[in-house]
Amino acid sequence: MSDHISEVRRRLLRSAVSTLAATRLGLFGSSASRLACTAFPLSHGSLPSLDKATAWLNSPGLSSPGLLGKVVVVQFWTYTCINWLRTLPYTRAWAEQYKRDGLVTVGVHSPEFEFEKHVENVRRAALSLNVGYPIAVDSDHAIWRAFNNQYWPALYIADAEGRIRHRQFGEGGYARSEAVIRELLAEAGAKQVDRPVGDITGPGVEAAADWSNLKSPESYLGANRASTFASPDELILGERRRFTVPSRLRLNQWSLSGEWSVRGDAAVLHASNGRIVYRFHARDVHLVMGPVARDKAVRFRVRIDGQSPGAAHGGDVDSDGNGVVVEPRMYQLIRQATGISDRLFEIEFLDAGVEAFAFTFG
């Protein structure tokens, strides 16, 4: 299940870049249409059951029959997904803006990584990210399967009769999605739907990607899905060994340095001063990672082209490149303002005991 979901997610990100490029160039075809916002003026099936959630946060358990009479937004997410994080400002604003008009927003948290299955991690992430609407914790992917869903993020909007009238897969389509919400609320009898929230600028990791400069794809570090790994030393599942960085990395190649073992889902550092090096082209660099031992902090230092990041530091490091891994989540390490080109990123862990899962870019 996880491998299939993650492969679909990789295809989604690649398609998103192609879609936006095609839109700017006035091109339309299979790549451009895959993420096209699709509205359904008539029913596209009934809202599937939410009953198999493993837990509920911010609300007592909700059921699809119990939501009849309400316009319902259901969004699938997982808290380390950069694609979902960039949609959050809109979903959050709609939930707040239209609640008084009869809108119910439900976030279905369907995890990608094992640590995202733990409800306390989801609870902590929801609090940190200000996700205040009801959350169905879908750690067994039962709701995901009921919807026959394939994407993070995926947005489904149902009318007051429980019919799905609109779907949006991936980022974008915000104006149309909000228009559908307003139309369905009016159909349900809302007399004066508040003015639309309009364009939103998300803070930090929620900011829209710099698509024109995004030339690096999501890259997994676990042996099951690792690609573009470049090192004289072979990745062997589960074997603890010392890695070295080659003299040169091509764009989007990455390597390990130091004493690591590689699981199916992550690379695990066993001795201090281990490094990960990646040649990238993007405004932002993020890394999904966490401490191996619960409640243990792992110090790290980031460099870009061999120098401290300075003003290009991300939200989880200072201008000298220093940061600390304290919990499993996505960390923003680099955010450049100008001069975006092929750059060499390096993260050195000053302590052992970190597990690194995936790079994402923005």
Side-chain angles (χ1 to χ4, degrees):
M1 181 72 181
S2 297
D3 289 352
H4 169 69
I5 291 171
S6 297
E7 173 57 28
V8 170
R9 177 176 165 187
R10 286 202 298 275
R11 292 201 305 269
L12 173 60
L13 182 56
R14 290 197 297 267
S15 294
V17 177
S18 298
T19 300
L20 287 162
T23 301
R24 291 191 181 98
L25 294 172
L27 301 176
F28 299 92
S30 59
S31 293
S33 63
R34 285 182 64 183
L35 292 183
C37 178
T38 305
F40 299 92
L42 301 176
S43 174
H44 194 73
S46 299
L47 190 68
S49 174
L50 303 172
D51 294 344
K52 292 187 177 180
T54 54
W56 282 86
L57 303 178
N58 302 332
S59 168
L62 301 177
S63 68
S64 297
L67 292 171
L68 290 175
K70 300 286 188 179
V71 175
V72 181
V73 167
V74 174
Q75 187 184 47
F76 285 86
W77 64 296
T78 190
Y79 75 81
T80 61
C81 176
I82 186 60
N83 307 96
W84 168 74
L85 284 163
R86 294 192 290 242
T87 70
L88 177 57
Y90 290 89
T91 311
R92 187 195 293 123
W94 299 333
E96 295 172 355
Q97 178 91 343
Y98 299 114
K99 182 178 180 179
R100 66 177 66 90
D101 299 306
L103 181 70
V104 175
T105 302
V106 179
V108 179
H109 187 273
S110 298
E112 176 175 14
F113 299 110
E114 191 69 25
F115 63 81
E116 292 176 296
K117 294 181 179 180
H118 301 302
V119 67
E120 287 308 314
N121 287 342
V122 181
R123 190 190 310 275
R124 183 170 57 236
L127 182 62
S128 173
L129 295 166
N130 191 26
V131 182
Y133 46 80
I135 298 170
V137 180
D138 185 33
S139 295
D140 298 329
H141 294 102
I143 302 175
W144 176 286
R145 290 191 295 271
F147 275 74
N148 194 27
N149 186 55
Q150 299 184 64
Y151 302 108
W152 297 290
L155 189 76
Y156 298 82
I157 305 177
D159 63 19
E161 296 181 16
R163 302 173 300 176
I164 294 177
R165 299 278 293 277
H166 178 80
R167 302 180 299 182
Q168 168 67 36
F169 302 134
E171 302 176 53
Y174 304 115
R176 180 56 184 149
S177 294
E178 185 176 7
V180 170
I181 290 171
R182 293 165 59 81
E183 290 166 10
L184 297 185
L185 288 171
E187 282 184 15
K191 299 301 183 184
Q192 290 183 328
V193 180
D194 287 340
R195 295 180 61 185
V197 297
D199 290 335
I200 292 174
T201 301
V205 296
E206 298 177 13
D210 180 1
W211 295 106
S212 63
N213 283 301
L214 180 51
K215 299 180 182 179
S216 290
E218 184 174 34
S219 298
Y220 290 86
L221 306 184
N224 290 347
R225 291 173 280 167
S227 60
T228 65
F229 176 72
S231 173
D233 314 290
E234 183 181 359
L235 279 181
I236 300 177
L237 183 65
E239 183 176 308
R240 179 171 170 171
R241 62 188 310 179
R242 181 164 291 279
F243 291 88
T244 56
V245 177
S247 59
R248 179 171 175 77
L249 292 174
R250 297 194 302 272
L251 180 62
N252 297 327
Q253 287 186 325
W254 63 276
S255 185
L256 301 171
S257 174
E259 194 169 340
W260 298 78
S261 63
V262 181
R263 301 195 313 247
D265 63 341
V268 181
L269 179 63
H270 296 283
S272 59
N273 303 116
R275 295 182 296 141
I276 309 174
V277 183
Y278 194 116
R279 184 167 292 280
F280 76 101
H281 189 123
R283 182 192 66 197
D284 305 335
V285 179
H286 314 107
L287 181 58
V288 178
M289 56 183 173
V292 173
R294 186 177 178 180
D295 299 326
K296 178 185 177 181
V298 178
R299 297 168 299 154
F300 65 84
R301 181 170 55 232
V302 164
R303 295 286 182 266
I304 185 167
D305 291 338
Q307 304 296 319
S308 298
H313 71 90
D316 289 302
V317 302
D318 62 23
S319 60
D320 292 325
N322 299 309
V324 184
V325 180
V326 294
E327 62 188 358
R329 62 176 175 87
M330 190 195 77
Y331 290 76
Q332 186 187 72
L333 305 175
I334 296 292
R335 166 154 287 175
Q336 303 178 83
T338 59
I340 299 170
S341 60
D342 293 4
R343 311 292 294 274
L344 188 67
F345 168 84
E346 176 182 326
I347 182 168
E348 180 180 9
F349 298 97
L350 307 182
D351 306 301
V354 74
E355 48 189 8
F357 295 84
F359 281 100
T360 59
F361 301 89

